[in-house]
Amino acid sequence: MINYSELEARLGVPIGVEEARSRWGALVGAAGEGQVTLITRERWEWAALVPLSKVPGVLTGLPVVSLSTAKAKLGDLVRQVAEPYDDSPVLLARHRTPVAALIAATRLLGPRTGEQVAPPGAGGVEALLRDGCTVTLSRHPTGSGVIAVARDRDGGEVAVGTGDNAEQALRALG
């Protein structure tokens, strides 16, 4: 069951697809600076425009859509990523370089039953290592940036961080 009131309490009131289209450039810019914007379609399909650091999992293999196409097809993209549908993130790219993403808004509420709980940000990478996690760094598939992935002892993904360099990616883990 989707808890819309909890989403609103944490992230603010969502905006409709048409309003998001009219403010698209500013919203994408804000996502690039770390801001999350809730976007709704039909009042029950909710997506979040997020910075890449908020995209769960590894970015390789995710669908990539240009910003101009995303603006034109925003309603369809919100429906595509919203639960209970596919809920796979869609990367939004400027000149073929991902700059933000659309994800199911419910992913921002935390793990669902059976999913790993992400570590609290207070301890950062040191806490992950202390807890027995393995942290790996790799070049972003687009060649611009670094991805840090923390995995628990069983190989399950615990946290992912991205950044322009290794330091930023590691900082995004915590």
PDB file of all heavy atoms in Angstrom, residues 1-8 11 14 38-48 78-79 81-87 103-110 112:
ATOM      1  N   MET A   1       0.845  -1.182   0.000  1.00  0.00           N
ATOM      2  CA  MET A   1       0.000   0.000   0.000  1.00  0.00           C
ATOM      3  C   MET A   1       0.893   1.250   0.000  1.00  0.00           C
ATOM      4  O   MET A   1       1.813   1.345   0.788  1.00  0.00           O
ATOM      5  CB  MET A   1      -0.866  -0.023   1.254  1.00  0.00           C
ATOM      6  CG  MET A   1      -1.748   1.159   1.421  1.00  0.00           C
ATOM      7  SD  MET A   1      -3.397   0.541   1.282  1.00  0.00           S
ATOM      8  CE  MET A   1      -4.311   1.932   0.874  1.00  0.00           C
ATOM      9  N   ILE A   2       0.593   2.168  -0.865  1.00  0.00           N
ATOM     10  CA  ILE A   2       1.398   3.379  -0.982  1.00  0.00           C
ATOM     11  C   ILE A   2       0.921   4.402   0.038  1.00  0.00           C
ATOM     12  O   ILE A   2      -0.266   4.689   0.146  1.00  0.00           O
ATOM     13  CB  ILE A   2       1.307   3.954  -2.407  1.00  0.00           C
ATOM     14  CG1 ILE A   2       1.859   2.927  -3.388  1.00  0.00           C
ATOM     15  CG2 ILE A   2       2.063   5.264  -2.515  1.00  0.00           C
ATOM     16  CD1 ILE A   2       1.646   3.282  -4.834  1.00  0.00           C
ATOM     17  N   ASN A   3       1.861   4.962   0.780  1.00  0.00           N
ATOM     18  CA  ASN A   3       1.545   5.935   1.813  1.00  0.00           C
ATOM     19  C   ASN A   3       1.822   7.346   1.278  1.00  0.00           C
ATOM     20  O   ASN A   3       2.902   7.891   1.463  1.00  0.00           O
ATOM     21  CB  ASN A   3       2.378   5.638   3.063  1.00  0.00           C
ATOM     22  CG  ASN A   3       1.917   6.449   4.247  1.00  0.00           C
ATOM     23  OD1 ASN A   3       1.225   7.456   4.102  1.00  0.00           O
ATOM     24  ND2 ASN A   3       2.301   6.011   5.421  1.00  0.00           N
ATOM     25  N   TYR A   4       0.819   7.909   0.603  1.00  0.00           N
ATOM     26  CA  TYR A   4       0.981   9.230   0.000  1.00  0.00           C
ATOM     27  C   TYR A   4       1.208  10.319   1.048  1.00  0.00           C
ATOM     28  O   TYR A   4       1.992  11.233   0.825  1.00  0.00           O
ATOM     29  CB  TYR A   4      -0.241   9.585  -0.851  1.00  0.00           C
ATOM     30  CG  TYR A   4      -0.442   8.666  -2.020  1.00  0.00           C
ATOM     31  CD1 TYR A   4      -1.522   7.793  -2.073  1.00  0.00           C
ATOM     32  CD2 TYR A   4       0.453   8.656  -3.081  1.00  0.00           C
ATOM     33  CE1 TYR A   4      -1.711   6.951  -3.149  1.00  0.00           C
ATOM     34  CE2 TYR A   4       0.272   7.809  -4.164  1.00  0.00           C
ATOM     35  CZ  TYR A   4      -0.807   6.961  -4.196  1.00  0.00           C
ATOM     36  OH  TYR A   4      -0.982   6.129  -5.253  1.00  0.00           O
ATOM     37  N   SER A   5       0.544  10.215   2.197  1.00  0.00           N
ATOM     38  CA  SER A   5       0.699  11.258   3.217  1.00  0.00           C
ATOM     39  C   SER A   5       2.119  11.270   3.773  1.00  0.00           C
ATOM     40  O   SER A   5       2.664  12.331   4.064  1.00  0.00           O
ATOM     41  CB  SER A   5      -0.324  11.082   4.342  1.00  0.00           C
ATOM     42  OG  SER A   5      -0.189   9.816   4.938  1.00  0.00           O
ATOM     43  N   GLU A   6       2.739  10.100   3.888  1.00  0.00           N
ATOM     44  CA  GLU A   6       4.126  10.050   4.356  1.00  0.00           C
ATOM     45  C   GLU A   6       5.060  10.669   3.320  1.00  0.00           C
ATOM     46  O   GLU A   6       5.993  11.390   3.659  1.00  0.00           O
ATOM     47  CB  GLU A   6       4.549   8.617   4.658  1.00  0.00           C
ATOM     48  CG  GLU A   6       5.942   8.548   5.268  1.00  0.00           C
ATOM     49  CD  GLU A   6       6.369   7.136   5.638  1.00  0.00           C
ATOM     50  OE1 GLU A   6       5.533   6.217   5.625  1.00  0.00           O
ATOM     51  OE2 GLU A   6       7.556   6.961   5.939  1.00  0.00           O
ATOM     52  N   LEU A   7       4.796  10.402   2.042  1.00  0.00           N
ATOM     53  CA  LEU A   7       5.598  11.019   0.984  1.00  0.00           C
ATOM     54  C   LEU A   7       5.481  12.544   1.044  1.00  0.00           C
ATOM     55  O   LEU A   7       6.472  13.254   0.947  1.00  0.00           O
ATOM     56  CB  LEU A   7       5.147  10.520  -0.395  1.00  0.00           C
ATOM     57  CG  LEU A   7       5.681   9.167  -0.825  1.00  0.00           C
ATOM     58  CD1 LEU A   7       4.921   8.663  -2.042  1.00  0.00           C
ATOM     59  CD2 LEU A   7       7.155   9.250  -1.122  1.00  0.00           C
ATOM     60  N   GLU A   8       4.263  13.041   1.175  1.00  0.00           N
ATOM     61  CA  GLU A   8       4.058  14.492   1.253  1.00  0.00           C
ATOM     62  C   GLU A   8       4.738  15.079   2.480  1.00  0.00           C
ATOM     63  O   GLU A   8       5.334  16.156   2.410  1.00  0.00           O
ATOM     64  CB  GLU A   8       2.569  14.824   1.272  1.00  0.00           C
ATOM     65  CG  GLU A   8       1.925  14.740  -0.079  1.00  0.00           C
ATOM     66  CD  GLU A   8       0.488  15.245  -0.081  1.00  0.00           C
ATOM     67  OE1 GLU A   8       0.069  15.909   0.891  1.00  0.00           O
ATOM     68  OE2 GLU A   8      -0.215  14.967  -1.057  1.00  0.00           O
ATOM     69  N   LEU A  11       8.600  14.958   1.659  1.00  0.00           N
ATOM     70  CA  LEU A  11       9.148  15.599   0.464  1.00  0.00           C
ATOM     71  C   LEU A  11       8.319  16.747  -0.090  1.00  0.00           C
ATOM     72  O   LEU A  11       8.701  17.346  -1.087  1.00  0.00           O
ATOM     73  CB  LEU A  11       9.335  14.538  -0.630  1.00  0.00           C
ATOM     74  CG  LEU A  11      10.260  13.397  -0.233  1.00  0.00           C
ATOM     75  CD1 LEU A  11      10.134  12.235  -1.194  1.00  0.00           C
ATOM     76  CD2 LEU A  11      11.693  13.887  -0.160  1.00  0.00           C
ATOM     77  N   PRO A  14       3.248  17.013  -4.155  1.00  0.00           N
ATOM     78  CA  PRO A  14       3.680  16.755  -5.532  1.00  0.00           C
ATOM     79  C   PRO A  14       3.084  17.780  -6.497  1.00  0.00           C
ATOM     80  O   PRO A  14       2.064  18.398  -6.211  1.00  0.00           O
ATOM     81  CB  PRO A  14       3.119  15.362  -5.817  1.00  0.00           C
ATOM     82  CG  PRO A  14       1.910  15.267  -4.954  1.00  0.00           C
ATOM     83  CD  PRO A  14       2.252  16.043  -3.702  1.00  0.00           C
ATOM     84  N   LEU A  38       8.543  15.660  -6.258  1.00  0.00           N
ATOM     85  CA  LEU A  38       7.507  14.666  -6.519  1.00  0.00           C
ATOM     86  C   LEU A  38       6.644  15.132  -7.684  1.00  0.00           C
ATOM     87  O   LEU A  38       6.249  16.295  -7.742  1.00  0.00           O
ATOM     88  CB  LEU A  38       6.618  14.474  -5.291  1.00  0.00           C
ATOM     89  CG  LEU A  38       7.278  13.865  -4.064  1.00  0.00           C
ATOM     90  CD1 LEU A  38       6.299  13.853  -2.893  1.00  0.00           C
ATOM     91  CD2 LEU A  38       7.764  12.460  -4.361  1.00  0.00           C
ATOM     92  N   ILE A  39       6.346  14.226  -8.599  1.00  0.00           N
ATOM     93  CA  ILE A  39       5.498  14.518  -9.753  1.00  0.00           C
ATOM     94  C   ILE A  39       4.405  13.460  -9.777  1.00  0.00           C
ATOM     95  O   ILE A  39       4.686  12.268  -9.640  1.00  0.00           O
ATOM     96  CB  ILE A  39       6.303  14.487 -11.075  1.00  0.00           C
ATOM     97  CG1 ILE A  39       7.458  15.486 -11.008  1.00  0.00           C
ATOM     98  CG2 ILE A  39       5.390  14.783 -12.265  1.00  0.00           C
ATOM     99  CD1 ILE A  39       8.421  15.403 -12.178  1.00  0.00           C
ATOM    100  N   THR A  40       3.165  13.902  -9.956  1.00  0.00           N
ATOM    101  CA  THR A  40       2.059  12.958  -9.940  1.00  0.00           C
ATOM    102  C   THR A  40       1.257  13.032 -11.233  1.00  0.00           C
ATOM    103  O   THR A  40       1.183  14.071 -11.876  1.00  0.00           O
ATOM    104  CB  THR A  40       1.137  13.192  -8.726  1.00  0.00           C
ATOM    105  OG1 THR A  40       0.132  12.187  -8.687  1.00  0.00           O
ATOM    106  CG2 THR A  40       0.479  14.553  -8.770  1.00  0.00           C
ATOM    107  N   ARG A  41       0.703  11.903 -11.568  1.00  0.00           N
ATOM    108  CA  ARG A  41      -0.187  11.786 -12.718  1.00  0.00           C
ATOM    109  C   ARG A  41      -1.397  11.007 -12.241  1.00  0.00           C
ATOM    110  O   ARG A  41      -1.250   9.963 -11.621  1.00  0.00           O
ATOM    111  CB  ARG A  41       0.518  11.029 -13.845  1.00  0.00           C
ATOM    112  CG  ARG A  41      -0.348  10.809 -15.051  1.00  0.00           C
ATOM    113  CD  ARG A  41       0.474  10.126 -16.150  1.00  0.00           C
ATOM    114  NE  ARG A  41      -0.256  10.177 -17.370  1.00  0.00           N
ATOM    115  CZ  ARG A  41      -0.706   9.099 -17.998  1.00  0.00           C
ATOM    116  NH1 ARG A  41      -0.473   7.907 -17.516  1.00  0.00           N
ATOM    117  NH2 ARG A  41      -1.371   9.220 -19.119  1.00  0.00           N
ATOM    118  N   GLU A  42      -2.558  11.513 -12.521  1.00  0.00           N
ATOM    119  CA  GLU A  42      -3.806  10.849 -12.117  1.00  0.00           C
ATOM    120  C   GLU A  42      -3.933  10.739 -10.595  1.00  0.00           C
ATOM    121  O   GLU A  42      -4.716   9.954 -10.112  1.00  0.00           O
ATOM    122  CB  GLU A  42      -3.906   9.448 -12.731  1.00  0.00           C
ATOM    123  CG  GLU A  42      -3.795   9.402 -14.237  1.00  0.00           C
ATOM    124  CD  GLU A  42      -4.986  10.001 -14.959  1.00  0.00           C
ATOM    125  OE1 GLU A  42      -6.089   9.982 -14.397  1.00  0.00           O
ATOM    126  OE2 GLU A  42      -4.785  10.499 -16.078  1.00  0.00           O
ATOM    127  N   ARG A  43      -3.153  11.491  -9.845  1.00  0.00           N
ATOM    128  CA  ARG A  43      -3.189  11.558  -8.381  1.00  0.00           C
ATOM    129  C   ARG A  43      -2.840  10.236  -7.684  1.00  0.00           C
ATOM    130  O   ARG A  43      -2.782  10.176  -6.475  1.00  0.00           O
ATOM    131  CB  ARG A  43      -4.524  12.078  -7.885  1.00  0.00           C
ATOM    132  CG  ARG A  43      -4.874  13.337  -8.604  1.00  0.00           C
ATOM    133  CD  ARG A  43      -5.563  14.438  -8.032  1.00  0.00           C
ATOM    134  NE  ARG A  43      -5.773  14.928  -6.764  1.00  0.00           N
ATOM    135  CZ  ARG A  43      -4.965  15.765  -6.119  1.00  0.00           C
ATOM    136  NH1 ARG A  43      -3.813  16.051  -6.593  1.00  0.00           N
ATOM    137  NH2 ARG A  43      -5.319  16.288  -4.988  1.00  0.00           N
ATOM    138  N   TRP A  44      -2.612   9.173  -8.422  1.00  0.00           N
ATOM    139  CA  TRP A  44      -2.213   7.923  -7.785  1.00  0.00           C
ATOM    140  C   TRP A  44      -0.970   7.325  -8.421  1.00  0.00           C
ATOM    141  O   TRP A  44      -0.459   6.313  -7.957  1.00  0.00           O
ATOM    142  CB  TRP A  44      -3.352   6.903  -7.778  1.00  0.00           C
ATOM    143  CG  TRP A  44      -3.917   6.606  -9.127  1.00  0.00           C
ATOM    144  CD1 TRP A  44      -4.906   7.294  -9.769  1.00  0.00           C
ATOM    145  CD2 TRP A  44      -3.512   5.580 -10.020  1.00  0.00           C
ATOM    146  NE1 TRP A  44      -5.140   6.748 -11.004  1.00  0.00           N
ATOM    147  CE2 TRP A  44      -4.294   5.686 -11.185  1.00  0.00           C
ATOM    148  CE3 TRP A  44      -2.565   4.567  -9.957  1.00  0.00           C
ATOM    149  CZ2 TRP A  44      -4.155   4.841 -12.262  1.00  0.00           C
ATOM    150  CZ3 TRP A  44      -2.429   3.716 -11.043  1.00  0.00           C
ATOM    151  CH2 TRP A  44      -3.230   3.858 -12.176  1.00  0.00           C
ATOM    152  N   GLU A  45      -0.464   7.946  -9.450  1.00  0.00           N
ATOM    153  CA  GLU A  45       0.804   7.540 -10.037  1.00  0.00           C
ATOM    154  C   GLU A  45       1.830   8.597  -9.655  1.00  0.00           C
ATOM    155  O   GLU A  45       1.754   9.730 -10.111  1.00  0.00           O
ATOM    156  CB  GLU A  45       0.681   7.436 -11.567  1.00  0.00           C
ATOM    157  CG  GLU A  45      -0.272   6.355 -11.999  1.00  0.00           C
ATOM    158  CD  GLU A  45      -0.579   6.398 -13.476  1.00  0.00           C
ATOM    159  OE1 GLU A  45      -0.647   7.488 -14.063  1.00  0.00           O
ATOM    160  OE2 GLU A  45      -0.750   5.315 -14.045  1.00  0.00           O
ATOM    161  N   TRP A  46       2.764   8.220  -8.794  1.00  0.00           N
ATOM    162  CA  TRP A  46       3.729   9.167  -8.258  1.00  0.00           C
ATOM    163  C   TRP A  46       5.143   8.774  -8.656  1.00  0.00           C
ATOM    164  O   TRP A  46       5.547   7.619  -8.505  1.00  0.00           O
ATOM    165  CB  TRP A  46       3.654   9.199  -6.739  1.00  0.00           C
ATOM    166  CG  TRP A  46       2.431   9.845  -6.184  1.00  0.00           C
ATOM    167  CD1 TRP A  46       1.158   9.711  -6.633  1.00  0.00           C
ATOM    168  CD2 TRP A  46       2.361  10.707  -5.062  1.00  0.00           C
ATOM    169  NE1 TRP A  46       0.300  10.432  -5.848  1.00  0.00           N
ATOM    170  CE2 TRP A  46       1.009  11.058  -4.877  1.00  0.00           C
ATOM    171  CE3 TRP A  46       3.303  11.208  -4.189  1.00  0.00           C
ATOM    172  CZ2 TRP A  46       0.589  11.892  -3.860  1.00  0.00           C
ATOM    173  CZ3 TRP A  46       2.890  12.035  -3.167  1.00  0.00           C
ATOM    174  CH2 TRP A  46       1.549  12.381  -3.016  1.00  0.00           C
ATOM    175  N   ALA A  47       5.881   9.761  -9.137  1.00  0.00           N
ATOM    176  CA  ALA A  47       7.295   9.575  -9.445  1.00  0.00           C
ATOM    177  C   ALA A  47       8.073  10.669  -8.730  1.00  0.00           C
ATOM    178  O   ALA A  47       7.492  11.656  -8.269  1.00  0.00           O
ATOM    179  CB  ALA A  47       7.537   9.656 -10.951  1.00  0.00           C
ATOM    180  N   ALA A  48       9.361  10.494  -8.662  1.00  0.00           N
ATOM    181  CA  ALA A  48      10.232  11.509  -8.074  1.00  0.00           C
ATOM    182  C   ALA A  48      11.342  11.822  -9.063  1.00  0.00           C
ATOM    183  O   ALA A  48      11.973  10.909  -9.601  1.00  0.00           O
ATOM    184  CB  ALA A  48      10.813  11.022  -6.753  1.00  0.00           C
ATOM    185  N   VAL A  78       6.187   9.067 -16.017  1.00  0.00           N
ATOM    186  CA  VAL A  78       5.710   8.960 -14.629  1.00  0.00           C
ATOM    187  C   VAL A  78       4.942   7.651 -14.473  1.00  0.00           C
ATOM    188  O   VAL A  78       5.160   6.909 -13.519  1.00  0.00           O
ATOM    189  CB  VAL A  78       4.853  10.178 -14.229  1.00  0.00           C
ATOM    190  CG1 VAL A  78       4.107   9.925 -12.928  1.00  0.00           C
ATOM    191  CG2 VAL A  78       5.719  11.420 -14.119  1.00  0.00           C
ATOM    192  N   ARG A  79       4.079   7.371 -15.428  1.00  0.00           N
ATOM    193  CA  ARG A  79       3.327   6.105 -15.369  1.00  0.00           C
ATOM    194  C   ARG A  79       4.277   4.909 -15.432  1.00  0.00           C
ATOM    195  O   ARG A  79       4.106   3.928 -14.711  1.00  0.00           O
ATOM    196  CB  ARG A  79       2.323   6.032 -16.503  1.00  0.00           C
ATOM    197  CG  ARG A  79       1.622   4.663 -16.552  1.00  0.00           C
ATOM    198  CD  ARG A  79       0.468   4.651 -17.480  1.00  0.00           C
ATOM    199  NE  ARG A  79      -0.658   5.214 -16.730  1.00  0.00           N
ATOM    200  CZ  ARG A  79      -1.780   5.625 -17.280  1.00  0.00           C
ATOM    201  NH1 ARG A  79      -1.947   5.555 -18.572  1.00  0.00           N
ATOM    202  NH2 ARG A  79      -2.743   6.111 -16.534  1.00  0.00           N
ATOM    203  N   VAL A  81       7.436   4.561 -14.419  1.00  0.00           N
ATOM    204  CA  VAL A  81       8.240   4.290 -13.220  1.00  0.00           C
ATOM    205  C   VAL A  81       7.404   4.115 -11.963  1.00  0.00           C
ATOM    206  O   VAL A  81       7.906   3.601 -10.962  1.00  0.00           O
ATOM    207  CB  VAL A  81       9.316   5.383 -12.974  1.00  0.00           C
ATOM    208  CG1 VAL A  81      10.221   5.520 -14.173  1.00  0.00           C
ATOM    209  CG2 VAL A  81       8.702   6.713 -12.591  1.00  0.00           C
ATOM    210  N   ALA A  82       6.151   4.537 -11.990  1.00  0.00           N
ATOM    211  CA  ALA A  82       5.311   4.478 -10.788  1.00  0.00           C
ATOM    212  C   ALA A  82       4.948   3.042 -10.451  1.00  0.00           C
ATOM    213  O   ALA A  82       4.753   2.210 -11.326  1.00  0.00           O
ATOM    214  CB  ALA A  82       4.047   5.304 -10.981  1.00  0.00           C
ATOM    215  N   GLU A  83       4.898   2.769  -9.163  1.00  0.00           N
ATOM    216  CA  GLU A  83       4.383   1.475  -8.744  1.00  0.00           C
ATOM    217  C   GLU A  83       2.883   1.513  -8.903  1.00  0.00           C
ATOM    218  O   GLU A  83       2.289   2.575  -8.801  1.00  0.00           O
ATOM    219  CB  GLU A  83       4.745   1.219  -7.288  1.00  0.00           C
ATOM    220  CG  GLU A  83       6.178   0.841  -7.128  1.00  0.00           C
ATOM    221  CD  GLU A  83       6.492   0.438  -5.706  1.00  0.00           C
ATOM    222  OE1 GLU A  83       5.720   0.744  -4.789  1.00  0.00           O
ATOM    223  OE2 GLU A  83       7.525  -0.182  -5.508  1.00  0.00           O
ATOM    224  N   PRO A  84       2.211   0.465  -9.147  1.00  0.00           N
ATOM    225  CA  PRO A  84       2.652  -0.922  -9.095  1.00  0.00           C
ATOM    226  C   PRO A  84       3.173  -1.453 -10.424  1.00  0.00           C
ATOM    227  O   PRO A  84       3.181  -2.649 -10.647  1.00  0.00           O
ATOM    228  CB  PRO A  84       1.387  -1.662  -8.697  1.00  0.00           C
ATOM    229  CG  PRO A  84       0.311  -0.898  -9.384  1.00  0.00           C
ATOM    230  CD  PRO A  84       0.766   0.541  -9.345  1.00  0.00           C
ATOM    231  N   TYR A  85       3.579  -0.584 -11.305  1.00  0.00           N
ATOM    232  CA  TYR A  85       4.068  -1.022 -12.615  1.00  0.00           C
ATOM    233  C   TYR A  85       5.503  -1.514 -12.487  1.00  0.00           C
ATOM    234  O   TYR A  85       5.877  -2.156 -11.528  1.00  0.00           O
ATOM    235  CB  TYR A  85       3.943   0.111 -13.628  1.00  0.00           C
ATOM    236  CG  TYR A  85       2.533   0.654 -13.708  1.00  0.00           C
ATOM    237  CD1 TYR A  85       2.242   1.946 -13.302  1.00  0.00           C
ATOM    238  CD2 TYR A  85       1.484  -0.144 -14.141  1.00  0.00           C
ATOM    239  CE1 TYR A  85       0.940   2.430 -13.348  1.00  0.00           C
ATOM    240  CE2 TYR A  85       0.191   0.334 -14.184  1.00  0.00           C
ATOM    241  CZ  TYR A  85      -0.072   1.616 -13.787  1.00  0.00           C
ATOM    242  OH  TYR A  85      -1.354   2.100 -13.823  1.00  0.00           O
ATOM    243  N   ASP A  86       6.309  -1.214 -13.443  1.00  0.00           N
ATOM    244  CA  ASP A  86       7.681  -1.699 -13.518  1.00  0.00           C
ATOM    245  C   ASP A  86       8.539  -1.171 -12.371  1.00  0.00           C
ATOM    246  O   ASP A  86       9.307  -1.875 -11.790  1.00  0.00           O
ATOM    247  CB  ASP A  86       8.264  -1.288 -14.876  1.00  0.00           C
ATOM    248  CG  ASP A  86       9.692  -1.738 -15.054  1.00  0.00           C
ATOM    249  OD1 ASP A  86      10.150  -2.598 -14.289  1.00  0.00           O
ATOM    250  OD2 ASP A  86      10.348  -1.228 -15.959  1.00  0.00           O
ATOM    251  N   ASP A  87       8.453   0.066 -12.049  1.00  0.00           N
ATOM    252  CA  ASP A  87       9.194   0.808 -11.025  1.00  0.00           C
ATOM    253  C   ASP A  87      10.707   0.807 -11.227  1.00  0.00           C
ATOM    254  O   ASP A  87      11.465   1.074 -10.314  1.00  0.00           O
ATOM    255  CB  ASP A  87       8.763   0.440  -9.608  1.00  0.00           C
ATOM    256  CG  ASP A  87       9.575  -0.637  -8.899  1.00  0.00           C
ATOM    257  OD1 ASP A  87      10.275  -1.397  -9.562  1.00  0.00           O
ATOM    258  OD2 ASP A  87       9.479  -0.699  -7.668  1.00  0.00           O
ATOM    259  N   ILE A 103      12.255   8.117 -10.639  1.00  0.00           N
ATOM    260  CA  ILE A 103      12.098   6.839  -9.946  1.00  0.00           C
ATOM    261  C   ILE A 103      10.711   6.797  -9.333  1.00  0.00           C
ATOM    262  O   ILE A 103      10.042   7.831  -9.194  1.00  0.00           O
ATOM    263  CB  ILE A 103      13.166   6.635  -8.841  1.00  0.00           C
ATOM    264  CG1 ILE A 103      13.011   7.665  -7.716  1.00  0.00           C
ATOM    265  CG2 ILE A 103      14.569   6.666  -9.416  1.00  0.00           C
ATOM    266  CD1 ILE A 103      13.890   7.393  -6.510  1.00  0.00           C
ATOM    267  N   ALA A 104      10.272   5.619  -8.961  1.00  0.00           N
ATOM    268  CA  ALA A 104       9.012   5.485  -8.234  1.00  0.00           C
ATOM    269  C   ALA A 104       9.159   6.231  -6.911  1.00  0.00           C
ATOM    270  O   ALA A 104      10.129   6.021  -6.179  1.00  0.00           O
ATOM    271  CB  ALA A 104       8.693   4.013  -7.984  1.00  0.00           C
ATOM    272  N   ALA A 105       8.241   7.116  -6.622  1.00  0.00           N
ATOM    273  CA  ALA A 105       8.335   7.928  -5.404  1.00  0.00           C
ATOM    274  C   ALA A 105       8.395   7.062  -4.152  1.00  0.00           C
ATOM    275  O   ALA A 105       9.063   7.418  -3.175  1.00  0.00           O
ATOM    276  CB  ALA A 105       7.160   8.903  -5.328  1.00  0.00           C
ATOM    277  N   THR A 106       7.754   5.918  -4.182  1.00  0.00           N
ATOM    278  CA  THR A 106       7.743   5.050  -3.003  1.00  0.00           C
ATOM    279  C   THR A 106       9.127   4.523  -2.655  1.00  0.00           C
ATOM    280  O   THR A 106       9.370   4.144  -1.513  1.00  0.00           O
ATOM    281  CB  THR A 106       6.794   3.861  -3.221  1.00  0.00           C
ATOM    282  OG1 THR A 106       7.142   3.214  -4.443  1.00  0.00           O
ATOM    283  CG2 THR A 106       5.352   4.331  -3.274  1.00  0.00           C
ATOM    284  N   ARG A 107      10.055   4.510  -3.612  1.00  0.00           N
ATOM    285  CA  ARG A 107      11.430   4.071  -3.312  1.00  0.00           C
ATOM    286  C   ARG A 107      12.092   5.002  -2.298  1.00  0.00           C
ATOM    287  O   ARG A 107      13.045   4.614  -1.641  1.00  0.00           O
ATOM    288  CB  ARG A 107      12.265   4.002  -4.579  1.00  0.00           C
ATOM    289  CG  ARG A 107      11.901   2.850  -5.464  1.00  0.00           C
ATOM    290  CD  ARG A 107      12.982   2.658  -6.499  1.00  0.00           C
ATOM    291  NE  ARG A 107      12.826   1.396  -7.169  1.00  0.00           N
ATOM    292  CZ  ARG A 107      13.454   0.279  -6.822  1.00  0.00           C
ATOM    293  NH1 ARG A 107      14.266   0.265  -5.810  1.00  0.00           N
ATOM    294  NH2 ARG A 107      13.272  -0.827  -7.486  1.00  0.00           N
ATOM    295  N   LEU A 108      11.600   6.228  -2.187  1.00  0.00           N
ATOM    296  CA  LEU A 108      12.184   7.189  -1.250  1.00  0.00           C
ATOM    297  C   LEU A 108      11.712   6.960   0.181  1.00  0.00           C
ATOM    298  O   LEU A 108      12.242   7.556   1.110  1.00  0.00           O
ATOM    299  CB  LEU A 108      11.859   8.621  -1.691  1.00  0.00           C
ATOM    300  CG  LEU A 108      12.414   8.990  -3.064  1.00  0.00           C
ATOM    301  CD1 LEU A 108      11.892  10.344  -3.504  1.00  0.00           C
ATOM    302  CD2 LEU A 108      13.920   8.966  -3.057  1.00  0.00           C
ATOM    303  N   LEU A 109      10.715   6.096   0.349  1.00  0.00           N
ATOM    304  CA  LEU A 109      10.222   5.797   1.690  1.00  0.00           C
ATOM    305  C   LEU A 109      11.092   4.781   2.403  1.00  0.00           C
ATOM    306  O   LEU A 109      10.959   4.582   3.589  1.00  0.00           O
ATOM    307  CB  LEU A 109       8.781   5.272   1.630  1.00  0.00           C
ATOM    308  CG  LEU A 109       7.735   6.297   1.234  1.00  0.00           C
ATOM    309  CD1 LEU A 109       6.378   5.608   1.114  1.00  0.00           C
ATOM    310  CD2 LEU A 109       7.676   7.435   2.242  1.00  0.00           C
ATOM    311  N   GLY A 110      11.959   4.123   1.673  1.00  0.00           N
ATOM    312  CA  GLY A 110      12.821   3.136   2.298  1.00  0.00           C
ATOM    313  C   GLY A 110      12.543   1.759   1.755  1.00  0.00           C
ATOM    314  O   GLY A 110      11.739   1.575   0.842  1.00  0.00           O
ATOM    315  N   ARG A 112      11.358  -2.047   1.119  1.00  0.00           N
ATOM    316  CA  ARG A 112      10.146  -2.834   1.286  1.00  0.00           C
ATOM    317  C   ARG A 112      10.523  -4.148   1.941  1.00  0.00           C
ATOM    318  O   ARG A 112      11.686  -4.462   2.106  1.00  0.00           O
ATOM    319  CB  ARG A 112       9.503  -3.081  -0.073  1.00  0.00           C
ATOM    320  CG  ARG A 112       8.873  -1.812  -0.634  1.00  0.00           C
ATOM    321  CD  ARG A 112       8.568  -1.998  -2.077  1.00  0.00           C
ATOM    322  NE  ARG A 112       9.811  -1.668  -2.779  1.00  0.00           N
ATOM    323  CZ  ARG A 112       9.958  -1.670  -4.065  1.00  0.00           C
ATOM    324  NH1 ARG A 112       8.974  -1.983  -4.836  1.00  0.00           N
ATOM    325  NH2 ARG A 112      11.107  -1.361  -4.624  1.00  0.00           N
TER     326      ARG A 112
END
